[in-house]
Amino acid sequence: MNSSELLQHNLNYFNESTPVKVVQTFIKNMYLSLLTRTLFIQFSLYIPYTDYGGLFFNSLLSGGLFVIFIYLLIISTALLYSNFESISNYDIKPYSYLMTGCFSYIFTYLTYYYHTQFYILNIHFLFTLFLSIFIFTNQTSITYTYNNLIKISFTSQLLVFFILSLLYNDFQYVLFTYLTSSLTQLYIIYNTENMIKNESRRFKIKTDEYLSGSILLYLDLFTIYPCIKRMFTEII
């Protein structure tokens, strides 16, 4: 397939005839976007362990900002969910920055407030997942397939688990964070494939809207609840 044909496919929504090369490029760019945002959140989680960061999060101002960021996250999520189809990949950038800032502050505050490393360990797993998928989709020696994507992701998670088990004395706690991050990983990998292959999904995505795709991984969480409710209604 030549460059002009690839460019034509970049103007379309994903479907079963989308070339593997287009899919691979989309996933590479989407996970690069997720990687940079996760790295920002990862650094912010260590702020309370610094002298000035500890003083700030011990003040009343930090609690007030926590409430403000919660409201900002709720409002931005509602706006995105109700207007996603009318927002272009360029217009979604401010939302991307806003939501990254909200998540970084909320997780950092909870890390300090509960004196826990739960979010820190989980973000290590997520960062490694995004990095491994980006590297996998950026190389040519191994053929890109969904099965290979799953193998690469689980291998990277196991590697991080073994490393953290050696660094931390509490094996049960590391195992707990590994299991919780594995659930997140399953959702992300499944939803990535679903985003590309499922043409009947609520929000469709164009092949060049990788930034919107990274946001859609989060918004799709809110499409799970109606499906669960509908499933239980049919059973009853």
Side-chain angles (χ1 to χ4, degrees):
M1 178 174 292
N2 57 42
S3 58
S4 60
E5 290 176 321
L6 284 174
L7 181 61
Q8 181 62 35
H9 275 286
N10 282 341
L11 302 176
N12 300 326
Y13 288 97
F14 277 109
N15 54 60
E16 292 184 356
S17 64
T18 304
V20 176
K21 183 66 176 177
V22 175
V23 173
Q24 186 173 346
T25 302
F26 172 83
I27 294 178
K28 178 185 68 176
N29 291 329
M30 183 177 73
Y31 277 87
L32 177 61
S33 173
L34 288 169
L35 183 64
T36 54
R37 279 181 272 166
T38 305
L39 185 62
F40 177 81
I41 296 174
Q42 191 171 27
F43 278 120
S44 70
L45 290 175
Y46 287 98
I47 293 177
Y49 295 96
T50 63
D51 293 336
Y52 292 107
L55 288 173
F56 172 77
F57 281 98
N58 196 37
S59 64
L60 293 176
L61 178 60
S62 65
L65 287 176
F66 175 76
V67 175
I68 292 174
F69 276 110
I70 288 288
Y71 275 110
L72 285 174
L73 182 61
I74 293 173
I75 293 171
S76 59
T77 300
L79 288 173
L80 278 173
Y81 192 83
S82 58
N83 300 286
F84 184 82
E85 294 179 346
S86 61
I87 298 176
S88 67
N89 199 52
Y90 176 80
D91 295 332
I92 212 169
K93 281 186 177 181
Y95 287 98
S96 174
Y97 299 143
L98 176 62
M99 297 179 80
T100 301
C102 288
F103 278 120
S104 63
Y105 188 86
I106 291 170
F107 290 150
T108 303
Y109 181 84
L110 292 175
T111 297
Y112 173 81
Y113 184 80
Y114 289 106
H115 302 286
T116 178
Q117 291 192 326
F118 175 80
Y119 299 104
I120 294 176
L121 294 179
N122 271 276
I123 210 72
H124 287 336
F125 283 109
L126 275 181
F127 177 80
T128 307
L129 172 66
F130 298 152
L131 179 61
S132 62
I133 293 178
F134 170 72
I135 293 174
F136 171 63
T137 52
N138 204 37
Q139 54 81 43
T140 56
S141 58
I142 303 176
T143 305
Y144 172 81
T145 63
Y146 182 57
N147 289 334
N148 284 339
L149 186 69
I150 295 175
K151 292 176 183 177
I152 292 293
S153 62
F154 271 93
T155 301
S156 65
Q157 296 293 281
L158 276 174
L159 178 62
V160 175
F161 169 69
F162 288 131
I163 293 174
L164 291 178
S165 298
L166 295 174
L167 295 177
Y168 287 83
N169 295 325
D170 195 343
F171 176 79
Q172 290 184 339
Y173 192 73
V174 174
L175 179 61
F176 171 69
T177 56
Y178 170 69
L179 293 176
T180 54
S181 66
S182 295
L183 292 176
T184 306
Q185 172 193 332
L186 285 172
Y187 164 75
I188 292 173
I189 298 297
Y190 166 77
N191 204 37
T192 299
E193 183 71 2
N194 186 51
M195 189 187 304
I196 294 169
K197 294 293 180 66
N198 188 0
E199 297 183 42
S200 61
R201 54 186 282 110
R202 175 182 174 87
F203 298 122
K204 294 182 180 180
I205 192 77
K206 287 186 177 180
T207 54
D208 62 338
E209 294 181 341
Y210 59 88
L211 185 58
S212 298
S214 63
I215 295 292
L216 198 53
L217 287 175
Y218 164 69
L219 292 181
D220 275 344
L221 283 170
F222 301 96
T223 64
I224 295 176
Y225 302 109
C227 293
I228 295 176
K229 181 181 178 181
R230 188 163 53 250
M231 181 180 66
F232 276 100
T233 303
E234 291 175 357
I235 293 175
I236 296 174

